[in-house]
Amino acid sequence: MKRETINAKNAPTPRGGYSQAVKIEDFKTLLFISGQIPVSDDDKVPEGFEDQARLVWRNIDAQLKVAGMSKADLVKVTTFLADRHHTLANREIRSEYLGGVAPAMSVVIASIFDEKWLLEVEAIAAQ
């Protein structure tokens, strides 16, 4: 697969570890990951935002692994936050997980299905 990060010079510079666009060519597999929620495999929801965010990224990682992929294959991530006050913590935890991987990204402040959930993250990966 050929992957190219695109950050047009006449558009805003990305802030926070993402790319304005990711172009993929000659890929074999495309994986669409539904919104991952902060619920563990034993149906528990952690209390604080940081614990919820780390659990969501673990859940994304689990989906990637079953598909034979890794975080390096992520090309688009959309995060839904229940409260804009979690923006900075979200960016820090996302950066912990992604490291140097910089997919195209959106963050949306939204009312989330269950009031206990402080975020939900969906993703697209390609190989």
Side-chain angles (χ1 to χ4, degrees), residues 39-111:
V39 178
S40 63
D41 57 357
D42 61 353
D43 210 32
K44 296 207 179 351
V45 177
E47 285 289 319
F49 180 82
E50 290 82 4
D51 290 338
Q52 286 194 19
R54 286 186 178 91
L55 178 56
V56 164
W57 284 107
R58 279 194 301 272
N59 291 343
I60 289 171
D61 202 47
Q63 304 305 328
L64 288 165
K65 285 181 180 171
V66 168
M69 301 173 107
S70 73
K71 65 184 176 184
D73 298 313
L74 290 171
V75 294
K76 174 70 168 103
V77 172
T78 303
T79 302
F80 300 92
L81 295 178
D83 187 326
R84 74 179 61 256
H85 294 100
H86 298 303
T87 303
L88 191 54
N90 176 63
R91 183 181 297 165
E92 290 171 2
I93 292 164
R94 183 184 65 223
S95 293
E96 281 176 20
Y97 173 74
L98 291 176
V101 178
M105 192 165 310
S106 299
V107 177
V108 180
I109 309 302
S111 180

